[in-house]
Amino acid sequence: MVLLTVLLCQTMFILDTSVVNIALPAIQRDLGFSAAGLSWVLNAYLLAFGGLLLLGGRAGDLLGPRRALITGVAVFTAASLAGGLATSGGLLLAGRAGQGVGAALAAPTVLALITTHFPEPAARARALGAYAAVSGSGAALGLIAGGVLTDWLSWRWVLYVNVPIGAALLVLAVMHVDGAQRRTVRLDVAGSLTSTAGMTALVFGLIRAAEEGFSDATATAVLGAGVVLLALFPVIEVRSTQPITPLRLFADRDRAVGYLALLFQMAAGNGMFFFLTQFLQEVRGYRPLTAGLAFLPLTALILASSHVAARFVPRTGPQPLIAAAGAAMTVCLLWLAQLTPGSTYVFALLGPMVLIGAAMGVLLVGITTVLMTGVRAEDAGAASGLLNVMQQLGGALGLAILITAFGTATRDAQGTAHQVLTDGVTTAFTVAAVLTGCVLVSSLLMRRRVGTDA
């Protein structure tokens, strides 16, 4: 029941990063957003979620897993209802930001519960495999769910759907999550403020750069401020007696490299979903629901490969699995980079999407195992918070980089509108392949250790 609670919670948070995508045109028509303002329906959630994750991870250690989970889910659920009821753009953005705050508080607790409730290596590997499966498939499931809800009901249901899920989670958490794990520790105020402000500035700067370009003065200034604040963060943490992010988490070489691998993986994966959706709808002319359903094979393979990888990790260790999956994903992205406006789903997209799904499931199981193995109980919240930070910042960074590459390619391209868009998409896939190549390189720096408790 704890695992069911964890998976349902993670599904809700991951789903919300993409479920709104397909509903954006309907939201724009209903609430009168400008083209630029519409992007903040996505960005308000990402900014609050990514910027507050480290603080949320430490809050889980301070409050205890059950209290942090219940508080975060309650805030997320209330904000989802408020967003669905919004009668103006400002109210919707406030609801989306509230969802991000709730997710930042509860999401780190999700992984911490796996660490504390599944100490036996094989059981922990299976639990992490299930977690990785819903994490990897959540974005694709969000595209499918967004198409179904928007076409059949209303865009408001992409937010309302969280209300019954959140209510069920609150009941499960009260009944089944251990509430006796609260620790009496002091909050690292300086570290909390520095990390939160730095992460928020970095996420905001990346979002702004993705929209306006890296030459934009505001983007440059905010990114610079974020870098300075984050550079101060380890200095503060070294001097803190109870740091928000214990730097001993980076003492293990595999874990330190694993954080980089996760950053690169999420950077490539988020951009891939975005540009595949653009190609299917804008070039191939798919309706939102049809475009969402096109991701079903990829989603199914993520779920299946995560299950298989969880069984192999205790035997082989995560390193060879990460290396093989990183290489496979790089090859598949280069395959997608050969698309033309006339490329069909069955002959040009289905093959690489199936293989990418298999590779993503294996990658997420392997990397999550590396990052969460051997973490002290008192550091579980901080470790899982940092993992989620890498996921959110990786997605923001990747999308900013790939949109910049896309914009450069489309400005130089000639031909029909479909040809120009395809040139930009294939350029983005080529850059994404470079990012997954970095995942492969990162895996080669890890030690090959058999067993998840090594």
Side-chain angles (χ1 to χ4, degrees):
M1 296 307 295
V2 170
L3 184 59
L4 174 63
T5 305
V6 163
L7 297 182
L8 190 59
C9 190
Q10 182 68 3
T11 299
M12 185 171 68
F13 295 148
I14 294 295
L15 200 81
D16 223 63
T17 62
S18 62
V19 70
V20 176
N21 275 286
I22 290 180
L24 288 176
I27 292 173
Q28 184 176 27
R29 289 191 300 269
D30 199 5
L31 298 183
F33 276 100
S34 66
L38 188 64
S39 67
W40 282 101
V41 177
L42 301 177
N43 295 343
Y45 179 74
L46 179 63
L47 184 59
F49 195 1
L52 297 173
L53 268 168
L54 281 181
L55 186 58
R58 195 54 172 165
D61 290 332
L62 293 170
L63 299 174
R66 183 168 69 176
R67 188 174 299 180
L69 184 65
I70 289 172
T71 304
V73 169
V75 171
F76 185 92
T77 304
S80 298
L81 179 60
L85 294 171
T87 56
S88 68
L91 290 175
L92 176 60
L93 295 185
R96 290 288 286 167
Q99 286 181 301
V101 173
L105 179 59
T109 302
V110 169
L111 263 179
L113 287 171
I114 291 179
T115 302
T116 55
H117 282 75
F118 298 91
E120 198 272 323
R124 186 174 65 237
R126 289 193 295 271
L128 288 174
Y131 170 87
V134 301
S135 296
S137 60
L141 286 172
L143 296 171
I144 298 168
V148 170
L149 293 170
T150 303
D151 274 3
W152 292 359
L153 296 171
S154 159
W155 68 263
R156 296 181 183 276
W157 277 93
V158 302
L159 297 168
Y160 287 153
V161 71
N162 294 316
V163 177
I165 298 174
L169 274 170
L170 291 174
V171 173
L172 287 170
V174 170
M175 294 178 61
H176 299 290
V177 175
D178 185 3
Q181 300 177 35
R182 183 179 178 184
R183 300 182 180 89
T184 304
V185 294
R186 294 176 58 191
L187 180 64
D188 174 18
V189 177
S192 300
L193 293 175
T194 305
S195 64
T196 301
M199 290 295 179
T200 302
L202 193 59
V203 172
F204 179 87
L206 289 171
I207 292 169
R208 176 82 179 188
E211 295 174 345
E212 306 293 339
F214 284 96
S215 60
D216 179 73
T218 300
T220 303
V222 175
L223 280 171
V227 170
V228 170
L229 287 168
L230 292 177
L232 289 174
F233 178 63
V235 178
I236 294 171
E237 296 303 272
V238 168
R239 299 178 179 179
S240 175
T241 56
Q242 294 179 327
I244 189 173
T245 299
L247 297 184
R248 57 179 173 267
L249 290 174
F250 300 97
D252 182 272
R253 186 181 74 187
D254 289 357
R255 189 178 295 116
V257 173
Y259 282 122
L260 286 177
L262 181 61
L263 187 77
F264 290 126
Q265 162 60 22
M266 295 306 299
N270 262 26
M272 180 201 68
F273 282 122
F274 179 84
F275 285 106
L276 275 176
T277 303
Q278 293 295 308
F279 181 81
L280 288 171
Q281 293 192 69
E282 300 298 332
V283 178
R284 299 304 304 164
Y286 284 25
R287 288 185 59 190
L289 177 57
T290 308
L293 292 175
F295 286 90
L296 269 176
L298 187 150
T299 305
L301 263 294
I302 290 176
L303 293 169
S305 63
S306 298
H307 180 72
V308 173
R311 294 182 176 274
F312 274 91
V313 164
R315 306 175 192 173
T316 66
Q319 189 273 339
L321 298 179
I322 296 172
M329 195 159 177
T330 302
V331 170
C332 289
L333 284 167
L334 291 174
W335 186 354
L336 287 175
Q338 309 309 310
L339 289 173
T340 67
S343 295
T344 62
Y345 176 76
V346 172
F347 292 105
L349 288 170
L350 183 59
M353 287 177 72
V354 165
L355 294 176
I356 285 173
M360 285 183 69
V362 174
L363 274 174
L364 289 169
V365 170
I367 294 173
T368 304
T369 301
V370 168
L371 296 183
M372 296 306 295
T373 296
V375 174
R376 301 179 184 181
E378 64 269 23
D379 294 336
S384 56
L386 189 56
L387 184 151
N388 278 279
V389 165
M390 291 299 173
Q391 288 181 327
Q392 298 304 314
L393 290 184
L397 175 63
L399 195 55
I401 292 172
L402 297 184
I403 286 178
T404 301
F406 172 86
T408 302
T410 53
R411 283 192 294 271
D412 297 335
Q414 297 180 349
T416 65
H418 285 175
Q419 182 63 58
V420 170
L421 183 61
T422 302
D423 287 347
V425 168
T426 55
T427 300
F429 285 142
T430 302
V431 176
V434 174
L435 295 173
T436 54
C438 292
V439 176
L440 174 59
V441 172
S442 298
S443 72
L444 298 178
L445 298 176
M446 298 177 185
R447 290 164 289 182
R448 181 168 183 173
R449 298 186 293 184
V450 177
T452 58
D453 60 346

